[in-house]
Amino acid sequence: YTVIEETHRPRSTGPFVNPLRSYVALLSQRRFSAFVLQSGFQSGAFFAMASASPFLTTEYLGRSASEYGLYFLFFPVGYCSGNWVSSRLSGRVGIETMVLAGSLLFVATVIGQASFILLSDLTPLMIFIPGFLISFGQGLALPNAQAGAIRVAPSLAGTAAGIGAFLQAICGAAFSQLYGFLADGTPYPMIWTVSASTLLAFSAGLYVYATRERPANALHNT
């Protein structure tokens, strides 16, 4: 800040832009709203599961805090792995496809976790292997959802990024609180909360994919 001079000079100062107008302009565009809601609801599912995992591990299953700490590594490792795969596929796979892929992985994970918990006794791996897959799916979709939201209105990139970050935080807090409200000492509230957030994230991801731009050469010949 003190040594390197700013090289990007504004072309004109222009009038002051009311931030509220920027918010309205962005949120009135359905694709932008779908991108930021997808990332927000995915964060809600992640934080709900992360909130449930310490109680279920230490209180419900009677495992030690140290054991829980080791199992919790599944979450950050999954997210980093998803980010790594996303970076390798960047430019070769469309962002809408990556967002949908992450959403579908969430759905498959929630169905698998719910089936195992309902049909057998809960174990730590029933919490943390799905936790790894949830985090992996978030790592796949989140960077692409952020890029897609900014791409909708490049001139409002800063505002778009701020709205996206806000929705990730508020959805994470809301679904964590919802889990706490529903918690009854069993694993079922985690299933309900994560499933609800996952369904909303999938709906937003599906809309993003359905409204993607198709190349001109993909049109049917007449």
Side-chain angles (χ1 to χ4, degrees):
Y1 177 80
T2 58
V3 177
I4 301 177
E5 181 181 0
E6 177 57 71
T7 58
H8 179 73
R9 302 297 183 189
R11 296 182 179 180
S12 62
T13 55
F16 173 75
V17 179
N18 188 332
L20 290 178
R21 292 181 182 177
S22 300
Y23 298 149
V24 172
L26 286 169
L27 293 173
S28 63
Q29 301 190 50
R30 294 179 181 178
R31 275 180 60 80
F32 173 81
S33 296
F35 274 121
V36 294
L37 287 173
Q38 195 279 339
S39 60
F41 289 133
Q42 274 202 329
S43 295
F46 168 82
F47 280 106
M49 188 174 290
S51 298
S53 63
F55 169 79
L56 293 176
T57 305
T58 59
E59 300 296 328
Y60 187 81
L61 295 175
R63 305 301 178 94
S64 68
S66 298
E67 188 174 357
Y68 165 74
L70 291 174
Y71 276 121
F72 191 80
L73 290 174
F74 278 80
F75 285 100
V77 170
Y79 185 78
C80 290
S81 301
N83 263 300
W84 182 83
V85 171
S86 180
S87 67
R88 300 282 77 78
L89 296 177
S90 178
R92 292 184 287 173
V93 178
I95 59 175
E96 295 88 354
T97 302
M98 295 295 291
V99 169
L100 182 62
S103 302
L104 286 170
L105 182 56
F106 265 56
V107 172
T109 299
V110 168
I111 292 174
Q113 183 185 47
S115 300
F116 276 108
I117 291 176
L118 292 172
L119 295 175
S120 61
D121 294 331
L122 182 70
T123 67
L125 290 180
M126 289 184 190
I127 303 170
F128 293 101
I129 289 180
F132 172 88
L133 295 173
I134 287 282
S135 303
F136 186 91
Q138 190 180 29
L140 281 180
L142 182 57
N144 292 280
Q146 291 172 330
I150 292 172
R151 183 183 294 181
V152 171
S155 61
L156 298 174
T159 305
I163 293 173
F166 170 77
L167 283 175
Q168 290 171 45
I170 200 68
C171 287
F175 280 93
S176 295
Q177 186 65 30
L178 178 60
Y179 166 74
F181 178 77
L182 296 174
D184 60 359
T186 70
Y188 304 118
M190 177 186 69
I191 296 174
W192 302 331
T193 307
V194 175
S195 296
S197 189
T198 294
L199 180 60
L200 292 169
F202 173 72
S203 299
L206 187 61
Y207 179 84
V208 162
Y209 184 79
T211 58
R212 70 193 186 282
E213 293 183 2
R214 293 171 174 81
N217 59 7
L219 297 176
H220 294 290
N221 294 325
T222 56

